[in-house]
Amino acid sequence: MNEPTIHYGAQSQLATQIQTHLFLLCPNNSGSTFLIRVIENNPNIWSLIREGQHVPGYAGPRARGSNMHLRWASTPEERARYRDSNSYDWAKIKQAWYFQATASNKDATIFATKAPPFLLIADMLETNFINPKFIIMVRNPYAMAEGIMRRYPSSRDMLIQIATHILNCFEIQAENIEKLQGRCTFFTYEEMCVEPEKITKKIQTLEPTLQNLEFDKPVPVKGLYNEPLTNFNARQIEKISKEQIDILSEEFSARSHLIERFGYKLL
């Protein structure tokens, strides 16, 4: 079998070729890696091998290396770090992204990328990129919490910080949905897992050229697994102890309207 041809942005004039910029706004540990892998398999997509914040030459704040990695929405100071427009050099960012982008079709006209903290700066993305469009997604807060917890000691203080991060992400996503009306589509991780055909139609309504979205094929995710679309919520939530559930629920209950806003329930 012949290997698919790969075209490189370094050999193209993407600054003038790209007609649409597609950004996936999704909190960390919420399924965004699987979704961006499905999207980037489309022949009309230029994409990056890494998250937009992690490619060499990215000139802006990044989560990796910070002591708030995976919890960057939990404090006002950390949110302000990302929202400081002076911290970004968008000309250099575009140059780095376009140079390192790849596509299966050299004539592709959409550039797609994601990085969880980008949900904090939708306004900057909207201002600095031609024809920006946004896919907004959230996931069950307990499953999201488990994905973060396994990277840190699960002390009470840490669980409270994780819960605060998740609640703030939900609040910001609700704001993004309102502010980006007409330029975004929204769905949950659970809807993507249960009704991929419905999600395909939502994405294609936002961007009609994306005609080849294959959710039923195995996708490599972070070197951890290579499977077709699978809902991992139940197996992840089972790993959380009752004591941990109680701490998370206590924190979630303080802003339960955000949990309910996206169709979830307190445990």
Side-chain angles (χ1 to χ4, degrees), residues 70-71 74 139-150 152-168 170 233 236-259 264-267:
L70 304 182
R71 313 187 310 283
S74 62
R139 186 186 183 186
N140 181 289
Y142 294 94
M144 182 180 169
E146 192 281 328
I148 302 172
M149 288 162 52
R150 73 177 82 139
Y152 295 102
S154 55
S155 65
R156 181 180 182 87
D157 286 346
M158 180 59 70
L159 290 173
I160 290 172
Q161 194 173 83
I162 290 170
T164 301
H165 168 72
I166 293 169
L167 287 168
N168 288 340
F170 275 28
N233 282 1
Q236 289 188 236
I237 294 172
E238 285 177 357
K239 297 177 182 178
I240 309 176
S241 70
K242 182 182 183 304
E243 180 182 5
Q244 292 168 336
I245 290 283
D246 289 344
I247 294 171
L248 291 170
S249 292
E250 181 181 355
E251 295 305 308
F252 290 153
S253 66
R255 287 187 278 172
S256 59
H257 66 283
L258 292 171
I259 304 298
Y264 302 116
K265 295 181 180 179
L266 297 176
L267 297 182

Side-chain angles (χ1 to χ4, degrees), residues 12-27:
S12 304
Q13 299 296 321
L14 298 194
T16 55
Q17 182 174 325
I18 298 297
Q19 298 176 11
T20 298
H21 292 83
L22 182 63
F23 297 102
L24 173 51
L25 305 183
C26 180

Side-chain angles (χ1 to χ4, degrees), residues 7-266:
H7 300 277
Y8 296 91
Q11 300 170 321
S12 304
Q13 299 296 321
L14 298 194
T16 55
Q17 182 174 325
I18 298 297
Q19 298 176 11
T20 298
H21 292 83
L22 182 63
F23 297 102
L24 173 51
L25 305 183
C26 180
N28 49 284
N29 301 90
S30 297
S32 62
T33 301
F34 185 95
L35 180 55
I36 198 70
R37 293 289 175 262
V38 171
I39 290 170
E40 70 187 16
N41 284 334
N42 190 278
N44 200 33
I45 291 288
W46 288 93
S47 64
L48 301 166
I49 193 171
R50 300 180 179 90
E51 289 185 358
Q53 64 173 332
H54 295 320
V55 299
Y58 177 73
R62 62 186 75 202
R64 188 171 295 164
S66 163
N67 62 1
M68 298 300 290
H69 181 47
L70 304 182
R71 313 187 310 283
W72 36 263
S74 62
T75 68
E77 294 79 13
E78 193 69 359
R79 294 194 299 276
R81 183 170 78 89
Y82 286 96
R83 284 174 160 163
D84 180 2
S85 60
N86 294 320
S87 297
Y88 297 84
D89 187 327
W90 290 109
K92 288 184 177 179
I93 291 171
K94 289 177 187 178
Q95 185 178 35
W97 283 356
Y98 295 162
F99 188 85
Q100 296 169 73
T102 60
S104 61
N105 171 19
K106 65 181 178 61
D107 297 319
T109 61
I110 300 174
F111 176 85
T113 191
K114 67 101 174 179
F118 286 176
L119 67 86
L120 294 169
I121 60 165
D123 57 336
M124 292 189 215
L125 299 173
E126 192 172 25
T127 299
N128 287 282
F129 290 90
I130 295 172
N131 193 24
K133 297 183 180 182
F134 302 88
I135 297 174
I136 300 174
M137 188 167 71
V138 296
R139 186 186 183 186
N140 181 289
Y142 294 94
M144 182 180 169
E146 192 281 328
I148 302 172
M149 288 162 52
R150 73 177 82 139
R151 304 285 291 274
Y152 295 102
S154 55
S155 65
R156 181 180 182 87
D157 286 346
M158 180 59 70
L159 290 173
I160 290 172
Q161 194 173 83
I162 290 170
T164 301
H165 168 72
I166 293 169
L167 287 168
N168 288 340
C169 284
F170 275 28
E171 184 171 25
I172 295 162
Q173 289 291 67
E175 294 171 357
N176 285 334
I177 292 169
E178 292 300 317
K179 292 177 181 178
L180 299 172
Q181 286 188 42
R183 297 177 298 286
C184 75
T185 190
F186 164 75
F187 48 85
T188 67
Y189 167 86
E190 293 76 22
E191 288 176 314
M192 180 177 71
C193 292
V194 175
E195 300 180 282
E197 298 86 359
K198 173 183 173 182
I199 301 314
T200 294
K201 290 179 181 178
K202 281 194 168 191
I203 295 173
Q204 290 172 344
T205 298
L206 178 70
E207 179 46 60
T209 67
L210 298 182
Q211 295 299 312
N212 187 34
L213 298 174
E214 299 176 313
F215 286 97
D216 58 343
K217 289 191 174 181
V219 171
V221 176
K222 300 177 182 177
L224 299 176
Y225 65 89
N226 189 346
E227 299 181 21
L229 184 59
T230 305
N231 188 338
F232 289 105
N233 282 1
R235 72 178 74 174
Q236 289 188 236
I237 294 172
E238 285 177 357
K239 297 177 182 178
I240 309 176
S241 70
K242 182 182 183 304
E243 180 182 5
Q244 292 168 336
I245 290 283
D246 289 344
I247 294 171
L248 291 170
S249 292
E250 181 181 355
E251 295 305 308
F252 290 153
S253 66
R255 287 187 278 172
S256 59
H257 66 283
L258 292 171
I259 304 298
E260 296 165 357
R261 160 71 174 78
F262 293 110
Y264 302 116
K265 295 181 180 179
L266 297 176

